[in-house]
C-alpha cells in the first residue's frame, strides 16, 4: 500500500486535499478544541481508504492526467487542481454547517423573545457569539447528528460518492448549479429556523399581547415586572415539550439536505 501511495503521490494529495477541506469545515471537527494533528490524521486515513478506488486512467480523475506530468512532478496546474479539490470538500462541510446554523439561528429567535439576548457567549461548536439557547439547540443537533451515525453516512456516502461523480472541472463547467445550491441552502436555513422557532415565538407573542391588554385594563398593577418571569417559565416549558419534535425535524432536515447534495453531485457529474 505504501509503495502505491508513493508512486501515485499526485493523486493521493488530491484526494487528501478534498478530505482535509471537508474535515476543517465540519461543525464538530472544525472546533479549535480538536487538535490539528487529529484532523490531518483523519484526512490521511480517509485518503488511504479512498485512494485504491481512484485512478488517472479511469473515472472522474481521468481528465487530470494531461495536467499532471508523466514524471509525477508538481507544477502550477497541479496547484489549481488541489484548490479545486479543496473547494469540493468545502461544499460538503458547508452543507452540514447550514443545517447546524438553522438550529443556532432558531435559538437566537428564542433568546430575543425571552429577553436573553444579553447572555451571548462564545460557542465552541459554532465558533461564534451565540445565546445560551442557541448553544443548547446546537448541542441537541450535535447529539442527533452523532446518534444517527450521520458522520459515517457523510464520509462513506457523501465524500466517497463525490470521488465517483465530480472533479475540479465540474465546479467550473457547472457553476450555475453550484451557485443555485448555495443560494437555496441559505434560503432553507432561515426557513428551517423560523419553523423551529415559530411555536415558541407564537406562544410568547400571545403572552405579550395578554400582558399588554391587562396592563391597560388595570394600570395600577405592575404587570411588566411579572411578565418576564412568566415569559421565561413558559418558554422553558414549551421548549421541554418541543424537544422530541426538534429531534424529528433535525433528522428530516438532514435527510432531505443529504438528498439535495447527492442530486447536486449527480447534476455536476453529468457535465
Amino acid at each position: 500500500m505504501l509503495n502505491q501511495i508513493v508512486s501515485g503521490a499526485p493523486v493521493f494529495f488530491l484526494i487528501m486535499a478534498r478530505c482535509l477541506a471537508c474535515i476543517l469545515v465540519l461543525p464538530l471537527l472544525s472546533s479549535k478544541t480538536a487538535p490539528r494533528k487529529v484532523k490531518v490524521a483523519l484526512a490521511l486515513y480517509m485518503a488511504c481508504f479512498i485512494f485504491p478506488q481512484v485512478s488517472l486512467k479511469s473515472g472522474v480523475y481521468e481528465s487530470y492526467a494531461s495536467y499532471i506530468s508523466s514524471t509525477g512532478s508538481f507544477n502550477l496546474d497541479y496547484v489549481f487542481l488541489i484548490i479545486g479539490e479543496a473547494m469540493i470538500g468545502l461544499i460538503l462541510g458547508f452543507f452540514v454547517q447550514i443545517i447546524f446554523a438553522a438550529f443556532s439561528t432558531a435559538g437566537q429567535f428564542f433568546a430575543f423573545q425571552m429577553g436573553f439576548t444579553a447572555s451571548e457567549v462564545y460557542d465552541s461548536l459554532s465558533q461564534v457569539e451565540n445565546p445560551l439557547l442557541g448553544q443548547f439547540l446546537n448541542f441537541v443537533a450535535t447529539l442527533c447528528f452523532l446518534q444517527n451515525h450521520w458522520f459515517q453516512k457523510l464520509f462513506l456516502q457523501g465524500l466517497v460518492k463525490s470521488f465517483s461523480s465530480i472533479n475540479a472541472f465540474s465546479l467550473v463547467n457547472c457553476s450555475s448549479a453550484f451557485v443555485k445550491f448555495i443560494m437555496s441552502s441559505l434560503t432553507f436555513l432561515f426557513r428551517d429556523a423560523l419553523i423551529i422557532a415559530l411555536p415558541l415565538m407564537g406562544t410568547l407573542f400571545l403572552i405579550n399581547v395578554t400582558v399588554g391588554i391587562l396592563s391597560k385594563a388595570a394600570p395600577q398593577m405592575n404587570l411588566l415586572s411579572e411578565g418576564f418571569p412568566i415569559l421565561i417559565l413558559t418558554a422553558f416549558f414549551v421548549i421541554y415539550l418541543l424537544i422530541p419534535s426538534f429531534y424529528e425535524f433535525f433528522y428530516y432536515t438532514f435527510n432531505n439536505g443529504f438528498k439535495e447534495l447527492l442530486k447536486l453531485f449527480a447534476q455536476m457529474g453529468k457535465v
Side-chain angles (χ1 to χ4, degrees):
M1 182 64 182
L2 183 60
N3 295 331
Q4 295 178 359
I5 294 177
V6 173
S7 60
V11 177
F12 181 80
F13 282 114
L14 288 173
I15 298 173
M16 187 174 177
R18 187 184 300 193
C19 296
L20 183 60
C22 179
I23 292 173
L24 291 177
V25 181
L26 284 177
L28 192 59
L29 297 176
S30 62
S31 175
K32 294 182 179 179
T33 56
R36 295 180 180 178
K37 295 180 180 179
V38 174
K39 301 175 185 178
V40 175
L42 182 58
L44 183 63
Y45 172 78
M46 291 298 302
C48 293
F49 175 76
I50 300 173
F51 177 72
Q53 308 175 30
V54 179
S55 174
L56 289 176
K57 298 181 180 179
S58 61
V60 295
Y61 275 15
E62 185 179 2
S63 57
Y64 287 176
S66 59
Y67 294 89
I68 299 177
S69 62
S70 58
T71 59
S73 59
F74 300 96
N75 49 38
L76 184 60
D77 295 333
Y78 183 77
V79 174
F80 285 111
L81 291 179
I82 289 183
I83 295 175
E85 290 294 314
M87 286 296 298
I88 298 175
L90 292 177
I91 295 173
L92 285 168
F94 180 73
F95 150 73
V96 182
Q97 283 279 14
I98 287 178
I99 298 178
F100 278 84
F103 277 74
S104 298
T105 306
Q108 294 179 7
F109 291 155
F110 288 172
F112 178 78
Q113 290 287 6
M114 296 170 61
F116 280 5
T117 52
S119 62
E120 292 189 1
V121 295
Y122 181 76
D123 186 6
S124 59
L125 290 178
S126 59
Q127 301 186 43
V128 294
E129 292 289 335
N130 204 6
L132 294 177
L133 285 174
Q135 295 188 33
F136 171 73
L137 292 180
N138 200 17
F139 182 71
V140 172
T142 303
L143 292 179
C144 298
F145 190 77
L146 295 175
Q147 184 179 5
N148 290 283
H149 307 290
W150 284 112
F151 260 123
Q152 291 87 328
K153 295 179 181 179
L154 179 66
F155 283 123
L156 298 179
Q157 297 184 22
L159 188 60
V160 175
K161 182 72 175 179
S162 66
F163 283 99
S164 61
S165 57
I166 63 174
N167 55 23
F169 298 121
S170 302
L171 295 178
V172 179
N173 297 331
C174 199
S175 58
S176 59
F178 170 68
V179 174
K180 183 179 179 181
F181 172 77
I182 296 298
M183 298 304 297
S184 62
S185 298
L186 295 175
T187 303
F188 293 152
L189 185 156
F190 291 101
R191 185 203 64 181
D192 295 340
L194 286 175
I195 292 175
I196 296 171
L198 189 59
L200 181 61
M201 293 177 62
T203 303
L204 297 184
F205 175 76
L206 293 177
I207 294 176
N208 286 324
V209 172
T210 303
V211 171
I213 294 175
L214 291 176
S215 62
K216 289 293 184 180
Q220 67 276 12
M221 297 177 60
N222 188 10
L223 294 177
L224 183 61
S225 59
E226 287 80 8
F228 281 110
I230 294 174
L231 287 175
I232 294 172
L233 291 176
T234 305
F236 282 125
F237 178 71
V238 173
I239 291 174
Y240 170 77
L241 296 177
L242 291 176
I243 287 296
S245 300
F246 290 160
Y247 180 88
E248 295 178 0
F249 185 78
F250 178 80
Y251 184 88
Y252 170 81
T253 303
F254 193 90
N255 193 32
N256 284 352
F258 192 74
K259 292 179 180 178
E260 292 297 326
L261 184 67
L262 293 180
K263 288 181 182 178
L264 174 68
F265 286 164
Q267 183 178 358
M268 296 176 68
K270 294 179 182 178
V271 179

